[in-house]
C-alpha cells in the first residue's frame, strides 16, 4: 500500500538555526500539505501546495516558513530561524484531489528546538 | 465557539462493549467529514469518511446530521487494539482539514 514517508524522524536543533523537513508524498497524488501538532494539542494546518505553488496557508505559516517541491518526488518544509515554540511534530500529508478527497499522513518529524 | 468540538474523554470501556463519540462543528459550509485515529506520538490515520446517508465499515458506524452540525462514531464489540485517540475532522471544501482535539479511548481487558 502506498504511503507518505518523512525524514528525519527526529530533528534536534539550536534556536535560530535553519531546518529542512523532507517528505515524499504518495506518487500519484497532486495536493500536498504540512500540519503541525504541539505536544498535547490538536493537529493544526500550516500550508497546502498544488501545481508548484502555495494554494492556502494559515496564520502560523509566516515569513520564516517556506515550502518547495525541488524535484518530482520530494516536498520540503524549511524553517529559516527556529524558535523554541516551533518544537512540535510536523506531519506531511497528500491527497489525490482537494476538498472531499481524503488526506493521508506521513509518520511525522519530531522537531525539538533547544 | 470552537470550529470542531469533541469530548476529550478519557473513555475507559471494557473489551466487547459498544462506545459512541460525538462531535459538533461550527461552520455550516463544511462539506466533508472524517474520523481519524491517532495512536500515541503517531500520525493521524484515516478511519473513515462520513457521508450524509451514514456509513458503516465493519464494527464502525459513522453518522452525520447536517441540520444539527453533528457527527458521531459508533464502535461495536470493542477490541484492545481500538485504544487510541479519535479525531473528528472537517473540511469546508478548501485545502485545509480542521481537527478537533480528539477523544481518548482506552479498552480495558
Amino acid at each position: 500500500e502506498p504511503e507518505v514517508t518523512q525524514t528525519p524522524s527526529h530533528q534536534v536543533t539550536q534556536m535560530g538555526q535553519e531546518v529542512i523537513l523532507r517528505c515524499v508524498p504518495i506518487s500519484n497524488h497532486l495536493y500536498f500539505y504540512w500540519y503541525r501538532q504541539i505536544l498535547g494539542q490538536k493537529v493544526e494546518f500550516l500550508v497546502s501546495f498544488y501545481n508548484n505553488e502555495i494554494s492556502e496557508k494559515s496564520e502560523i505559516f509566516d515569513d520564516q516558513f517556506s515550502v518547495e517541491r525541488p524535484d518530482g518526488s520530494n516536498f520540503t518544509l524549511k524553517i529559516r530561524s527556529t524558535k523554541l515554540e516551533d518544537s512540535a511534530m510536523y506531519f506531511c500529508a497528500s491527497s489525490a484531489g482537494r476538498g472531499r478527497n481524503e488526506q493521508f499522513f506521513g509518520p511525522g518529524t519530531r522537531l525539538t528546538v533547544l | 465557539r470552537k470550529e470542531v468540538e469533541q469530548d476529550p474523554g478519557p473513555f475507559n470501556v471494557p473489551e466487547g462493549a459498544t462506545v459512541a463519540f460525538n462531535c459538533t462543528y461550527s461552520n455550516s459550509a463544511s462539506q466533508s467529514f472524517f474520523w481519524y485515529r491517532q495512536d500515541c506520538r503517531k500520525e493521524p490515520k484515516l478511519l473513515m469518511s462520513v457521508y450524509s446517508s451514514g456509513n458503516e465499515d465493519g464494527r464502525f458506524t459513522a453518522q452525520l446530521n447536517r441540520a444539527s452540525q453533528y457527527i458521531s462514531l459508533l464502535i461495536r464489540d470493542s477490541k484492545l487494539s481500538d485504544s487510541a485517540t479519535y479525531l473528528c475532522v472537517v473540511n469546508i471544501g478548501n485545502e485545509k482539514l480542521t481537527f478537533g482535539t480528539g477523544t481518548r479511548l482506552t479498552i480495558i481487558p
Side-chain angles (χ1 to χ4, degrees):
Chain A
E1 188 178 318
E3 56 184 23
V4 177
T5 59
Q6 290 185 243
T7 54
S9 56
H10 191 186
Q11 173 92 48
V12 181
T13 190
Q14 294 289 327
M15 194 168 59
Q17 295 296 304
E18 175 184 286
V19 294
I20 297 176
L21 311 183
R22 292 184 166 78
C23 167
V24 179
I26 294 171
S27 62
N28 62 343
H29 282 185
L30 301 176
Y31 293 81
F32 315 118
Y33 312 87
W34 284 101
Y35 291 81
R36 79 168 187 194
Q37 186 175 30
I38 295 169
L39 188 64
Q41 297 186 25
K42 65 178 184 177
V43 177
E44 299 175 290
F45 170 80
L46 290 177
V47 66
S48 59
F49 192 86
Y50 170 70
N51 201 25
N52 277 322
E53 59 183 28
I54 291 173
S55 45
E56 188 175 352
K57 60 183 181 179
S58 71
E59 60 270 16
I60 303 168
F61 194 88
D62 61 23
D63 291 345
Q64 69 159 345
F65 291 91
S66 62
V67 289
E68 198 178 28
R69 189 152 161 84
D71 53 44
S73 57
N74 289 285
F75 178 50
T76 62
L77 174 70
K78 183 193 289 187
I79 310 175
R80 259 180 277 283
S81 177
T82 49
K83 305 184 195 121
L84 295 176
E85 54 265 35
D86 293 328
S87 295
M89 277 291 277
Y90 288 81
F91 294 111
C92 174
S94 69
S95 70
R98 73 194 296 267
R100 293 179 179 273
N101 272 259
E102 291 93 348
Q103 294 182 21
F104 296 91
F105 285 73
T109 293
R110 178 171 303 283
L111 177 65
T112 303
V113 182
L114 302 175
Chain B
R1 186 181 169 187
K2 288 183 188 174
E3 291 180 283
V4 179
E5 200 145 2
Q6 296 182 250
D7 180 345
F11 283 52
N12 300 314
V13 303
E15 197 174 0
T18 295
V19 60
F21 304 132
N22 302 319
C23 165
T24 57
Y25 58 94
S26 60
N27 191 332
S28 59
S30 300
Q31 293 186 16
S32 47
F33 311 89
F34 309 94
W35 284 101
Y36 280 74
R37 69 170 276 167
Q38 187 175 31
D39 294 290
C40 189
R41 295 179 179 253
K42 301 281 189 184
E43 75 273 25
K45 286 194 173 162
L46 180 66
L47 184 63
M48 56 200 303
S49 302
V50 187
Y51 304 117
S52 296
S53 53
N55 48 305
E56 190 173 308
D57 182 2
R59 298 181 293 109
F60 299 84
T61 301
Q63 297 278 350
L64 168 63
N65 183 323
R66 283 189 185 270
S68 304
Q69 295 180 201
Y70 170 97
I71 308 159
S72 66
L73 177 69
L74 185 80
I75 307 175
R76 286 182 300 279
D77 186 25
S78 53
K79 312 225 178 277
L80 296 177
S81 57
D82 294 333
S83 297
T85 297
Y86 289 82
L87 307 174
C88 177
V89 183
V90 170
N91 182 295
I92 62 168
N94 57 5
E95 308 296 330
K96 71 172 197 178
L97 296 180
T98 301
F99 284 76
T101 51
T103 299
R104 203 155 126 211
L105 173 67
T106 301
I107 305 299
I108 303 162

